[in-house]
Amino acid sequence: MEYYLVKWKGWPDSTNTWEPLQNLKCPLLLQQFSNDKHNYLSQVKKGKAITPKNNNKTLKPAIAEYIVKKAKQRIALQRWQDELNRRKNHKGMIFVENTVDLEGPPSDFYYINEYKPAPGISLVNEATFGCSCTDCFFQKCCPAEAGVLLAYNKNQQIKIPPGTPIYECNSRCQCGPDCPNRIVQKGTQYSLCIFRTSNGRGWGVKTLVKIKRMSFVMEYVGEVITSEEAERRGQFYDNKGITYLFDLDYESDEFTVDAARYGNVSHFVNHSCDPNLQVFNVFIDNLDTRLPRIALFSTRTINAGEELTFDYQMKGSGDISSDSIDHSPAKKRVRTVCKCGAVTCRGYLN
């Protein structure tokens, strides 16, 4: 008869018991147990056997250790997923998945929904004027006041070219929440999954639903720091082979968004030299042109299950930055190799 060692929920390890299969009314856990064992044995077959044949009909210690680690990882990822969904303020759900390795939740990452200003930086999130339109789609609205076109069509798709700023209606406007010029401020509408990539790119993000072309997908948020501080952090990040810095260079180059410790789902979106997301500068309640919000829109139809990517060197102006954050040719920066796999890959992230 087969027996399984059971860890009882809410009880310490000292109360673990061996139970026959007939006592276990948990088909999902048993299936996960079987899948984990199969996955481990499949990995071992690619190499060589790690222990001699065991005649006692017990699991080899290495297999048992892997199954326990995988179970603990699954619990930790579920708790992290629950925490992310408690903290988010948008409609789309966040899921977490790792079928690749034993990596758990990041230890030094804090989910935020909007910019977090560093000490000494003030974000004035209160517009000085708003529209009085009854129909913002046909009347002279906030974009016209700013000297630009309304960014969206009737299907809520962006219709302006990259590099053109988006001016949405704000808290002083008299139009309601259904206004066609309130898109980015409503947050992510799609259910997304943070997943572990299988080709060494760490975590990534995929969509669980189909996304139409030219649709708003998510904002890029993080800690707002000065460009001088970004230069200092950039040297550190380059040495670690990571990059989370995004220059707010719509009109000036005073500030940078750092999503390394504070961010949202966009923190986990990978780079691609042939991305399916495009960067746009957005102004809503804060009309300071030095501090645009960064929105990511789909460049084409993105199917369910497809990974989301954007070009880390893409600036809000729509241009490709040739030197990333470091504008001083005298300083030699460590270059991070790109693993995007695109035909047009440039070879480096920075």
Side-chain angles (χ1 to χ4, degrees), residues 115-277:
Y115 283 161
K116 174 182 172 64
I121 296 178
S122 176
L123 297 180
V124 181
N125 285 317
E126 186 175 348
T128 54
F129 66 89
C131 73
S132 55
C133 305
T134 55
D135 189 338
C136 295
F137 200 80
F138 294 104
Q139 294 176 267
K140 187 178 181 181
C141 191
C142 301
E145 293 291 340
V148 297
L149 296 174
L150 181 72
Y152 311 113
N153 63 23
K154 290 184 177 181
N155 296 320
Q156 302 184 341
Q157 294 167 296
I158 195 161
K159 64 179 184 179
I160 58 175
T164 307
I166 298 171
Y167 279 83
E168 290 196 356
C169 291
N170 57 58
S171 56
R172 285 187 175 268
C173 295
Q174 295 181 22
C175 54
D178 295 328
C179 168
N181 194 33
R182 297 181 185 271
I183 302 296
V184 172
Q185 60 195 265
K186 291 183 178 179
T188 300
Q189 301 296 298
Y190 307 103
S191 291
L192 305 175
C193 179
I194 301 169
F195 74 104
R196 195 72 177 168
T197 63
S198 58
N199 60 352
R201 292 178 298 126
W203 295 101
V205 178
K206 61 184 176 182
T207 177
L208 298 180
V209 295
K210 184 178 180 178
I211 300 175
K212 294 188 298 184
R213 64 186 297 272
M214 313 306 281
S215 298
F216 169 66
V217 179
M218 69 180 78
E219 270 193 82
Y220 191 88
V221 303
E223 185 181 9
V224 178
I225 58 177
T226 63
S227 295
E228 291 76 19
E229 175 64 12
E231 178 64 35
R232 187 188 69 79
R233 295 187 187 185
Q235 298 284 345
F236 174 73
Y237 294 156
D238 285 347
N239 289 330
K240 292 181 66 178
I242 59 175
T243 176
Y244 294 103
L245 300 175
F246 198 111
D247 289 340
L248 299 179
D249 52 7
Y250 170 64
E251 275 200 352
S252 64
D253 194 20
E254 294 182 47
F255 302 108
T256 295
V257 176
D258 181 4
R261 294 187 69 209
Y262 301 94
N264 61 2
V265 177
S266 64
H267 166 99
F268 302 97
V269 175
N270 277 314
H271 161 86
S272 175
C273 297
D274 183 22
N276 52 23
L277 300 178

Side-chain angles (χ1 to χ4, degrees), residues 307-324:
E307 183 175 1
L308 303 175
T309 58
F310 73 95
D311 191 330
Y312 285 5
Q313 292 192 32
M314 182 65 69
K315 302 194 292 184
S317 62
D319 299 326
I320 297 292
S321 173
S322 59
D323 52 0
S324 190

